[in-house]
Amino acid sequence: MNASPAILPFADPGAGYRALQPEIDAAVARALASGWYILGREGEAFEAEFAAWLGDQPGAPTMHAVGCANGTDAIMLILRGMGIGEGSTVVTVSHTAVATVAAIEMVGATPLLLDIDPDTYTMDPDELASVLADPPPGLPPIRAVIPVHIYGQAVDLGPIKAACDEAGVFLIEDCAQCHGAMLGGAKLGTIGHAAAFSLYPTKNLGALGDGGILATPDRELAARIGAIRQYGWKRRYISDLQGVNSRLDEVQAAILRVKLQHLDRQNDRRRQIAAAYDAALAGTALTPPARRPGAHHVFHLYVLRHPKRDEFMFSLKARGIGTGIHYPMPVHSQPAYAGRVPLGPANCAETARVAEEVFSLPMYPELTDEQVARVCEALSGL
Ligand SMILES: *Cc1c(COP(=O)(O)O)cnc(C)c1O
């Protein structure tokens, strides 16, 4: 019998559970037995452990973390905590998960979408400097900038932070894809005024359900957001602030405490897999993903680019390898946003090209050496 092997899936969240099953099962049992299911000891411990892990580099500020329901809410809560809503413009990119833009609109602010650098797929600092110096007419004042560390790659934060500081606007890092990535020795998420992390199951740090966490060196901002996430309560049943309900539950927090212990090792495994893919691409028409100098890339996704991407995806599928596209349509072209959301002076031209050309290989730490070898063999045959 020569049965063709099943397609190697592009993502496998179940593998993330199975790899740590005894530890996760024990943590879930502990949370269930505690009799306390929302905003209790597990959540507090996870927030403290996450903040300590984020701020563990020499010279890092002391970080304060607040758990919430998902990564979209983490961005929304940061904006609300900063008092940003209707009558404010928030600058971000169109080449991102739609969640970044959705969160800006959730608070009533106007998103302004910029283009990206073609090699790193991250916000173009020159276009940002130009819109901060000379904002597009007719928009409310710019109050914040949200660059997205996409695929696990650091944004060019040096000039972006300098431009934000000069303009007096908040810098919020969208860290949904970059848990553990660094730039110039600093962990991403510790450089701006605040950072939002998704804990969706397939992210580098993922719950087994929805979850999110935000972090900031500003203790008062963290305390305000901590109230906003639960009806604006500082005291039980009394809303001092206009709030929402966006909480991280105890079962997910217990699971995340286990997974946080393994995150650095799992990021190393992602980097090892990326190095194997790089080597396998030598001599093909495909170029390995760029790494920003001075950055520590954590490969949430391993993304390749080619004008004939459909042919490559088809060939890989024929060789038993699943692929994905991140993302197939820029935010500014999607029906909910097209013609409505303002764009920067570059008109997101590079973003539009990238959406037609990128595709992603299987990338998760539980891939076995044998599975990685299968992908590499398929790649070297392209
Ligand atoms: C996943 C993601 C989000 C949103 O996170 P959810 O937990 O799905 O709400 C935001 N921004 C980026 C870049 C993401 O990849």
Side-chain angles (χ1 to χ4, degrees):
M1 285 287 289
N2 194 8
S4 63
I7 292 264
L8 176 64
F10 165 73
D12 187 4
Y17 168 54
R18 288 189 299 275
L20 303 173
Q21 188 168 355
E23 277 178 86
I24 289 175
D25 287 355
V28 169
R30 186 181 69 223
L32 292 179
S34 75
W36 191 282
Y37 304 112
I38 297 278
L39 297 189
R41 287 198 185 141
E42 298 290 343
E44 275 171 31
F46 174 60
E47 288 171 347
E49 288 159 12
F50 186 84
W53 167 83
L54 193 59
D56 70 359
Q57 299 301 298
T62 300
M63 300 300 293
H64 307 280
V66 181
C68 62
N70 55 66
T72 312
D73 279 5
I75 300 171
M76 175 273 288
L77 287 166
I78 290 169
L79 291 169
R80 283 187 76 129
M82 291 172 167
I84 294 173
E86 221 174 303
S88 303
T89 294
V90 176
V91 180
T92 188
V93 286
S94 183
H95 185 68
T96 182
V98 75
T100 316
V101 182
I104 294 168
E105 293 203 323
M106 276 171 85
V107 301
T110 301
L112 172 63
L113 305 184
L114 302 190
D115 210 356
I116 50 171
D117 165 70
D119 295 322
T120 58
Y121 309 111
T122 56
M123 181 181 278
D124 176 356
D126 294 332
E127 191 183 12
L128 176 66
S130 103
V131 299
L132 288 175
D134 183 18
L139 292 184
I142 296 172
R143 300 277 316 283
V145 177
I146 312 183
V148 180
H149 302 296
I150 197 112
Y151 309 150
Q153 167 99 289
V155 168
D156 193 4
L157 271 186
I160 287 177
K161 186 174 190 311
C164 289
D165 287 348
E166 193 183 321
V169 304
F170 288 110
L171 172 60
I172 302 167
E173 298 177 64
D174 183 335
C175 291
Q177 302 192 2
C178 74
H179 319 65
M182 297 197 281
L183 182 64
K187 271 196 187 154
L188 300 183
T190 64
I191 299 168
H193 294 98
F197 295 81
S198 168
L199 304 168
Y200 182 81
T202 58
K203 302 289 162 106
N204 291 44
L205 177 62
L208 300 178
D210 266 320
I213 193 164
L214 58 95
T216 172
D218 181 340
R219 178 192 291 274
E220 274 176 35
L221 176 63
R224 198 154 57 241
I225 293 171
I228 293 170
R229 76 165 160 189
Q230 180 163 241
Y231 320 126
W233 287 355
K234 289 182 184 165
R235 318 162 262 177
R236 207 165 175 74
Y237 304 126
I238 310 294
S239 295
D240 288 303
L241 301 168
Q242 268 189 324
V244 299
N245 175 4
S246 181
R247 300 175 296 215
L248 180 66
D249 72 69
E250 290 286 284
V251 171
Q252 295 306 332
I255 293 168
L256 287 158
R257 290 179 70 193
V258 170
K259 291 196 132 192
L260 182 60
Q261 304 284 327
H262 297 273
L263 175 58
D264 291 336
R265 177 180 57 77
Q266 292 184 336
N267 280 339
D268 287 344
R269 175 64 178 160
R270 288 175 183 268
R271 289 165 56 81
Q272 195 179 44
I273 295 167
Y277 290 173
D278 285 357
L281 288 170
T284 72
L286 296 164
T287 311
R291 273 76 152 174
R292 182 180 305 291
H296 178 84
H297 194 316
V298 293
F299 289 97
H300 171 60
L301 293 167
Y302 186 97
V303 175
L304 296 169
R305 178 174 186 180
H306 197 281
K308 294 187 174 161
R309 74 140 170 240
D310 293 353
E311 291 175 21
F312 287 98
M313 292 174 75
F314 186 82
S315 301
L316 285 168
K317 191 171 178 197
R319 293 168 161 91
I321 309 300
T323 55
I325 297 178
H326 303 86
Y327 295 89
M329 191 183 282
V331 175
H332 72 273
S333 306
Q334 298 181 22
Y337 300 94
R340 187 173 70 74
V341 172
L343 307 183
N347 231 7
C348 291
E350 186 60 35
T351 297
R353 272 193 291 280
V354 163
E356 306 268 301
E357 297 184 359
V358 288
F359 64 105
S360 316
L361 300 182
M363 173 55 82
Y364 35 100
E366 298 80 20
L367 284 170
T368 63
D369 288 346
E370 185 269 327
Q371 288 172 319
V372 173
R374 252 176 81 191
V375 179
C376 288
E377 199 182 304
L379 288 175
S380 48
L382 288 177

